[in-house]
Amino acid sequence: MSRPTQTESLLARKRPMFITHLPPPAASNNKQLRSSSSSSSSPPRSATSIKAARSTRKAMFIKYGSLLLLVGQMVGLVLLMRYSRTRHSNNNEDDDMYLASTAVFMMEILKFCICTGVVFYQGKCSLKALRLELYTHIWASPYDLMKLAVPSFLYTVQNNLLYLALSNLDAATYQVLYQLKILTTAIFSATMLGRKFSTIKWISLIVLTCGVAIVEISGSNDHSSSSGKNNNGDGDNDQNNRLVGLIAVLCAACTSGFSGVYFEKILKGSEVTLWIRNIQMGIFSIAIAFLTAMIQDSTQISQKGFFVGYSPIVLTVITVQAVGGLIVAVVVKYADNVLKVFATSFSILLSCVISALAFDFRPNKSFLLGASLVLLSTIMYSSNPRSVKKRSSRLSVQEDALPMLHQETRKSSLVL
């Protein structure tokens, strides 16, 4: 075997240099490119996911927090209003009862101030922006302003009727009977808006009417209104008071249904915010509430003053009632219909329990049957089983094949 020449040995030394040294820079460049691309693309992805998670947690907090506030407002307002209207008879106090008309007037003023403050905050706390908003939607829009005179009048009448109803009915019975506003809202929606309802909804309205009728004839009542009175009568006064309360609840349910549907008809196609609408309605409501107080209770106001009978309990009732409308607006924006029905049902049950503990409320079997029918009708009216089945089957079959289906279902739910 011949020895390699000097030329061949030089070539053999240089060949590994081409083989070993050329590929590594290419590989390192690829690694650098991959690392740079991954490092440049990964932070935005993680930032967006963190931001989405935070927004989801915030939306869930607002959603369920507003529902808890709604339940507290429903139960607290009714119980506090009932207590404020009956505590004088319970304690045999000689103090004068506060006037419901003045309480409604103060509530409208407080609600007007809150809505104005929200608009001021939305305008980045600028007085110029607030003045421009008020001028544009009040002074420069007299036609739109006049259209809100009807619901403003009806809402003022409704608030006065609620005080009258809770002066003559216990809180639990009032909560059940006031669900008749579902029936009146459905009737006015069908007549004024041409809305069509399914068979299940009409059956639920019939069940609701039967439940309210059973609750009314049950005769269940607390003893807060009669504990401070003598027992010489045979109960005719209590029956008359219960009839007055029933008529007041029926009228309040009718005004609530008509004013709600009328307000919805006005809001369709309008770009005005809900806070501006409340300010527009507040102008008429304040004027109507003041005239009602001056006409209805002018003698007592002139003799004893406008704020006769006011106490911290009365101020709490006014505040809770004023804030309640704003809580409902938040719930309508963030919560769905199922959760609102749950809040309504839970508030009825909680009112019954607290009335039994605090006001010596003793429900009989007829009351429990009627209240159960009212709760069942509320759930039936807000459910739509056909659309739920179709949506669930579509999602289970096409969830992996169509990634964009989630966005379509969100849009359809928003439209519904």
Side-chain angles (χ1 to χ4, degrees):
M1 191 172 176
S2 60
R3 297 177 61 182
T5 60
Q6 187 176 1
T7 306
E8 291 177 355
S9 62
L10 289 176
L11 290 175
R13 292 176 185 175
K14 293 182 179 180
R15 192 177 297 138
M17 293 177 61
F18 290 100
I19 296 173
T20 56
H21 293 284
L22 286 178
S28 61
N29 288 335
N30 292 332
K31 291 181 180 180
Q32 290 178 359
L33 290 174
R34 290 175 184 174
S35 61
S36 62
S37 61
S38 61
S39 61
S40 61
S41 60
S42 57
R45 191 178 305 166
S46 61
T48 53
S49 61
I50 293 174
K51 187 176 180 181
R54 288 179 179 175
S55 61
T56 303
R57 286 195 297 267
K58 183 178 179 181
M60 295 293 289
F61 177 77
I62 296 176
K63 181 178 181 179
Y64 291 102
S66 60
L67 281 173
L68 290 177
L69 288 176
L70 180 62
V71 173
Q73 190 269 339
M74 286 181 178
V75 178
L77 176 62
V78 173
L79 295 175
L80 286 173
M81 194 179 293
R82 174 65 176 171
Y83 174 74
S84 66
R85 303 299 290 179
T86 58
R87 64 188 179 94
H88 295 277
S89 60
N90 292 338
N91 301 327
N92 293 325
E93 296 178 357
D94 296 330
D95 296 337
D96 294 318
M97 174 73 69
Y98 71 96
L99 302 176
S101 58
T102 61
V104 173
F105 173 74
M106 295 304 299
M107 183 269 298
E108 293 294 342
I109 289 182
L110 180 58
K111 188 164 62 174
F112 180 84
C113 295
I114 293 174
C115 293
T116 305
V118 172
V119 175
F120 176 71
Y121 177 78
Q122 289 179 348
K124 298 180 180 180
C125 300
S126 174
L127 291 176
K128 184 178 180 180
L130 177 63
R131 185 170 62 251
L132 181 61
E133 287 285 340
L134 296 180
Y135 176 81
T136 303
H137 298 290
I138 294 177
W139 183 260
S141 303
Y143 178 72
D144 292 339
L145 193 65
M146 292 302 298
K147 289 192 298 184
L148 296 173
V150 175
S152 301
F153 173 76
L154 293 177
Y155 280 130
T156 306
V157 173
Q158 174 189 342
N159 290 324
N160 283 278
L161 288 173
L162 296 184
Y163 279 95
L164 179 62
L166 283 169
S167 300
N168 298 279
L169 292 175
D170 59 276
T173 304
Y174 164 81
Q175 282 275 42
V176 176
L177 295 181
Y178 194 53
Q179 299 307 311
L180 280 174
K181 62 184 179 181
I182 300 176
L183 175 63
T184 58
T185 303
I187 294 175
F188 286 120
S189 297
T191 55
M192 296 175 60
L193 300 178
R195 189 169 295 165
K196 296 182 180 180
F197 298 98
S198 61
T199 306
I200 296 179
K201 290 186 181 295
W202 287 116
I203 293 175
S204 67
L205 294 176
I206 296 175
V207 174
L208 173 65
T209 306
C210 296
V212 169
I214 293 174
V215 168
E216 175 55 30
I217 64 177
S218 66
S220 296
N221 202 351
D222 57 17
H223 301 281
S224 60
S225 60
S226 58
S227 60
K229 300 176 184 179
N230 54 16
N231 297 324
N232 296 328
D234 56 354
D236 292 337
N237 190 21
D238 291 339
Q239 292 297 327
N240 292 332
N241 292 338
R242 190 176 181 86
L243 180 61
V244 171
L246 174 63
I247 294 175
V249 170
L250 292 177
C251 294
C254 292
T255 55
S256 175
F258 180 81
S259 57
V261 174
Y262 184 86
F263 192 60
E264 180 184 356
K265 189 175 182 179
I266 292 176
L267 287 179
K268 280 188 174 180
S270 176
E271 297 180 356
V272 182
T273 61
L274 186 63
W275 309 108
I276 294 294
R277 287 298 187 192
N278 284 326
I279 292 175
Q280 292 175 340
M281 292 179 60
I283 295 175
F284 292 102
S285 298
I286 290 173
I288 295 171
F290 182 77
L291 290 176
T292 302
M294 290 295 103
I295 294 173
Q296 182 179 351
D297 301 314
S298 59
T299 304
Q300 296 187 24
I301 291 175
S302 60
Q303 293 178 356
K304 301 177 181 180
F306 192 86
F307 299 102
V308 59
Y310 273 56
S311 64
I313 295 295
V314 179
L315 297 178
T316 305
V317 170
I318 293 173
T319 305
V320 172
Q321 191 176 12
V323 178
L326 308 180
I327 296 175
V328 172
V330 175
V331 172
V332 168
K333 182 177 181 180
Y334 290 101
D336 55 1
N337 201 20
V338 178
L339 292 176
K340 285 186 289 184
V341 172
F342 172 77
T344 304
S345 304
F346 187 73
S347 64
I348 293 175
L349 296 176
L350 192 59
S351 297
C352 295
V353 173
I354 297 178
S355 297
L357 296 176
F359 298 100
D360 197 16
F361 175 69
R362 299 173 184 175
N364 52 23
K365 295 181 179 179
S366 299
F367 179 87
L368 295 177
L369 176 61
S372 301
L373 291 177
V374 170
L375 294 177
L376 178 62
S377 65
T378 305
I379 296 173
M380 290 173 58
Y381 185 83
S382 303
S383 63
N384 193 0
R386 292 183 180 180
S387 62
V388 172
K389 289 181 180 179
K390 290 180 180 179
R391 188 181 302 173
S392 60
S393 62
R394 192 190 311 168
L395 286 174
S396 61
V397 173
Q398 300 179 350
E399 185 175 6
D400 297 331
L402 295 178
M404 297 298 292
L405 184 62
H406 299 284
Q407 298 179 2
E408 294 177 1
T409 52
R410 290 195 193 101
K411 292 179 181 178
S412 62
S413 64
L414 287 175
V415 173
L416 290 176

